[in-house]
Amino acid sequence: MKRVHAIIVLMLIAGCAAAQGYDKNYRRLSSGDLTVDKNFYLLTVIDKTPDVKAVLAGNVALKSFLQAKVGILKAHVTDTCSYPASLMPDFFWKNDTASLARELNSVYAANKRAFDKMIDAHLRPSGYYQRFAGMANGVLLGKAWNQCFYGMDYIINQYGLGKRMRYPHIDSVSYVVTSRMYRTTLKDMMSSLAEVSEGFDVFYKPSLAVAMQLMQANDRDEPARLEPLEEGINKAAFDQIKKTDWKKYRYAAIVLPGAGPTLTTTPVSPNGKIHCDMAARRYLAGDAPFIIPSGGYCYPFQGPYNEAVEMKKYLMEKYNIPASAIIVEPQARHTTTNIRNAVRLMVRYGMPVTGPSLFVTSMSQTKYSAADSFDARNIRELGYTPYTRKKQLTNHVIEFYPVMECLHMDPLDPLDP
């Protein structure tokens, strides 16, 4: 009997933890910069929460961090530092994370009510920290801070120092960072930011500004392109979702991954067309009411084509599939995030996610995605698999069930967090 009671208690605890995550009625806050919001939602929320922001801005230790980084920013305007290796490292957090963690823990403990209110009202229901939903507020907040610090360091490494990060073939810096042009750009960036540094009121603002300026210099606004999707390219499908009789379909959606072209003269690659053909067959057979083509601006490097947008055009032109049946997911850059991002849209658009959906593609990609090694890659890169109960049905089709962890933001992929 005691064991039964213990299990019931554990179930109740688990249920409470799950209930503290994503809320479909939550309305996300906006800083005015969607790239910032998607990468660093904690910071957007703090900026919109006056009492928490005031606590952080007034803390003596944190203020010293701010003053030090602003001082470095101003010093770089006139000093002789001209190479990335001498300009960028001072804006990293990696050397300060231990002392910052202690101070931020102390700040949280002393102002628990204000922080808890913010966490419960925004961080949890937003879904951006869904993998932490079962954790206590203080732990969740600490992990959210770590993601912010790591994310800024990642961007500075990639676009400031030119380091080859996770996906260098499509995500790397656009210029030679040691070239005269880029060194001049970095120096001018210091001057430009120094001019507005009086507006940096919280300790993380200088490093955040440097990171965002680096992304801007490299035309890396992918997280914000085509947004808001449901008011633009996805409006017809978004409206149709509300009218759909889901009982008529075995599957909620057909997820269609991209295969980026290698030529700037080719909107859809040869394999991309095969992917579309396979998905169209399944849609026309009545398997699901929606196709979700997924893929961003990936190939060729800094190329003009968005995989998902071009696949939508192909499906409409070749198969007469209506726009109201195609949900564009235009940001995924890899097979792992094709599924993750498609699930994100399904959840946020109010589509059923307790039942199965289909992943439909070419034979070669189906073989790759059905293997255990693909699960291992997801866990290695995302920390989880964006699906459960994966089952290969044919040479072109995999059945899967979505998981809510897909909503979680990823600081290791700043172009598609």
Side-chain angles (χ1 to χ4, degrees):
M1 182 64 71
K2 288 183 179 179
R3 181 173 178 174
V4 171
H5 287 164
I7 292 172
I8 291 172
V9 169
L10 288 173
M11 290 175 64
L12 289 172
I13 291 171
C16 290
Q20 293 170 342
Y22 173 70
D23 181 349
K24 66 180 181 180
N25 296 313
Y26 177 74
R27 294 294 175 263
R28 286 166 286 177
L29 303 179
S30 172
S31 67
D33 186 334
L34 193 53
T35 300
V36 172
D37 299 341
K38 286 188 174 184
N39 276 283
F40 308 109
Y41 192 62
L42 168 63
L43 307 187
T44 295
V45 170
I46 289 172
D47 220 39
K48 300 293 182 179
T49 309
D51 51 347
V52 170
K53 184 177 179 181
V55 166
L56 294 172
N59 179 272
V60 174
L62 296 179
K63 191 178 292 186
S64 69
F65 275 104
L66 171 64
Q67 292 169 344
K69 290 197 184 292
V70 168
I72 292 164
L73 193 61
K74 291 180 177 179
H76 281 327
V77 177
T78 56
D79 63 22
T80 58
C81 297
S82 61
Y83 278 81
S86 59
L87 290 169
M88 293 291 106
D90 289 321
F91 297 99
F92 282 130
W93 292 110
K94 59 185 177 182
N95 296 325
D96 299 320
T97 49
S99 55
L100 267 174
R102 286 193 296 270
E103 190 59 37
L104 290 170
N105 282 337
S106 175
V107 170
Y108 170 74
N111 301 273
K112 191 173 182 297
R113 180 175 293 183
F115 278 95
D116 282 348
K117 182 179 178 181
M118 177 190 77
I119 293 165
D120 292 337
H122 295 288
L123 300 192
R124 289 185 179 281
S126 72
Y128 278 136
Y129 302 97
Q130 188 66 24
R131 292 185 64 211
F132 307 151
M135 300 175 182
N137 278 355
V139 179
L140 185 155
L141 182 61
K143 287 186 173 291
W145 277 120
N146 283 339
Q147 285 200 174
C148 288
F149 298 143
Y150 194 97
M152 283 184 262
D153 283 2
Y154 190 102
I155 292 169
I156 293 169
N157 263 319
Q158 184 157 276
Y159 299 114
L161 296 178
K163 289 190 176 182
R164 293 168 67 86
M165 304 302 279
R166 187 191 278 181
Y167 306 116
H169 296 299
I170 57 175
D171 294 348
S172 61
V173 65
S174 304
Y175 308 96
V176 177
V177 297
T178 54
S179 67
R180 182 177 180 181
M181 181 281 292
Y182 206 69
R183 288 187 286 123
T184 300
T185 296
L186 294 181
K187 200 71 172 174
D188 286 343
M189 181 191 301
M190 297 295 114
S191 177
S192 174
L193 293 177
E195 191 168 89
V196 297
S197 62
E198 296 305 318
F200 295 160
D201 50 1
V202 190
F203 73 96
Y204 51 76
K205 291 287 183 75
S207 290
L208 176 64
V210 168
M212 291 300 100
Q213 283 288 114
L214 288 169
M215 290 186 73
Q216 176 181 297
N218 287 273
D219 298 316
R220 290 304 197 174
D221 63 339
E222 282 93 335
R225 291 181 191 174
L226 301 176
E227 292 281 8
L229 302 176
E230 61 274 13
E231 295 178 16
I233 195 166
N234 283 343
K235 188 178 189 311
F238 183 71
D239 291 341
Q240 183 61 34
I241 288 170
K242 304 165 190 174
K243 309 171 190 174
T244 301
D245 183 356
W246 298 101
K247 296 189 295 293
K248 293 182 178 180
Y249 302 94
R250 183 176 179 184
Y251 300 102
I254 297 166
V255 178
L256 164 60
T262 58
L263 304 174
T264 57
T265 55
T266 306
V268 183
S269 72
N271 233 35
K273 293 175 182 177
I274 292 173
H275 292 196
C276 290
D277 294 339
M278 295 301 105
R281 290 174 195 172
R282 285 287 172 168
Y283 170 80
L284 295 173
D287 283 359
F290 296 97
I291 300 176
I292 307 179
S294 172
Y297 293 90
C298 302
Y299 298 97
F301 181 76
Q302 292 281 43
Y305 300 118
N306 179 277
E307 292 175 5
V309 171
E310 298 304 328
M311 288 191 292
K312 177 180 179 177
K313 293 177 184 177
Y314 180 91
L315 291 168
M316 293 179 68
E317 292 169 6
K318 183 171 181 179
Y319 293 100
N320 294 316
I321 296 175
S324 59
I326 303 173
I327 301 169
V328 168
E329 189 293 296
Q331 288 148 359
R333 312 181 69 74
H334 318 285
T335 310
T336 53
T337 52
N338 284 140
I339 298 174
R340 182 198 71 180
N341 290 6
V343 172
R344 285 178 174 179
L345 289 184
M346 291 174 68
V347 173
R348 295 196 184 278
Y349 285 5
M351 298 171 67
V353 291
T354 55
S357 284
L358 296 178
F359 183 73
V360 180
T361 184
S362 60
M363 181 176 68
S364 59
Q365 193 171 27
T366 298
K367 182 179 179 180
Y368 167 74
S369 302
D372 292 343
S373 57
F374 182 63
D375 300 344
R377 180 187 169 186
N378 276 281
I379 292 170
R380 184 174 64 252
E381 296 183 5
L382 303 180
Y384 62 98
T385 58
Y387 49 78
T388 187
R389 297 159 66 181
K390 181 181 73 173
K391 180 181 179 183
Q392 183 174 351
L393 303 181
T394 74
N395 284 335
H396 301 283
V397 180
I398 295 173
E399 179 184 276
F400 71 94
Y401 286 74
V403 299
M404 292 299 290
E405 286 90 337
C406 289
L407 296 173
H408 192 93
M409 60 186 292
D410 183 6
L412 289 173
D413 198 353
L415 305 190
D416 178 30

